[in-house]
Amino acid sequence: MPLIQVTLIEGRTIDAKAALIGGLTDAAVTALGVPRESVRVIIQEVPAAHWGVGGLPKSAAKEQLRDSKS
């Protein structure tokens, strides 16, 4: 039974997450030849303040981008 774990910054829609789950399941079925029913997908969502990019929290990068557009 394949288990696929994905970590994302929170904020995506339910439809987007459902599409991701479907696509990952399809990929596992194709690549591994396993039954669709045996594939498990876990999505863990992380707040932007807990996700660092280039030494800054992702939430700070969003704030900087928003401020630069003002």
Side-chain angles (χ1 to χ4, degrees), residues 2-8 20 24 40-44:
L3 171 63
I4 301 168
Q5 294 181 300
V6 179
T7 305
L8 298 172
L20 178 61
L24 291 170
R40 307 292 189 260
V41 178
I42 297 172
I43 296 176
Q44 296 175 310

Side-chain angles (χ1 to χ4, degrees), residues 8 13-14 16 22 25 33 37 41 50 57-60 62-64:
L8 298 172
T13 66
I14 291 172
T25 300
E37 303 77 35
V41 178
H50 299 177
K58 190 70 172 165
S59 58
K62 286 182 183 180
E63 290 171 12
Q64 288 175 353

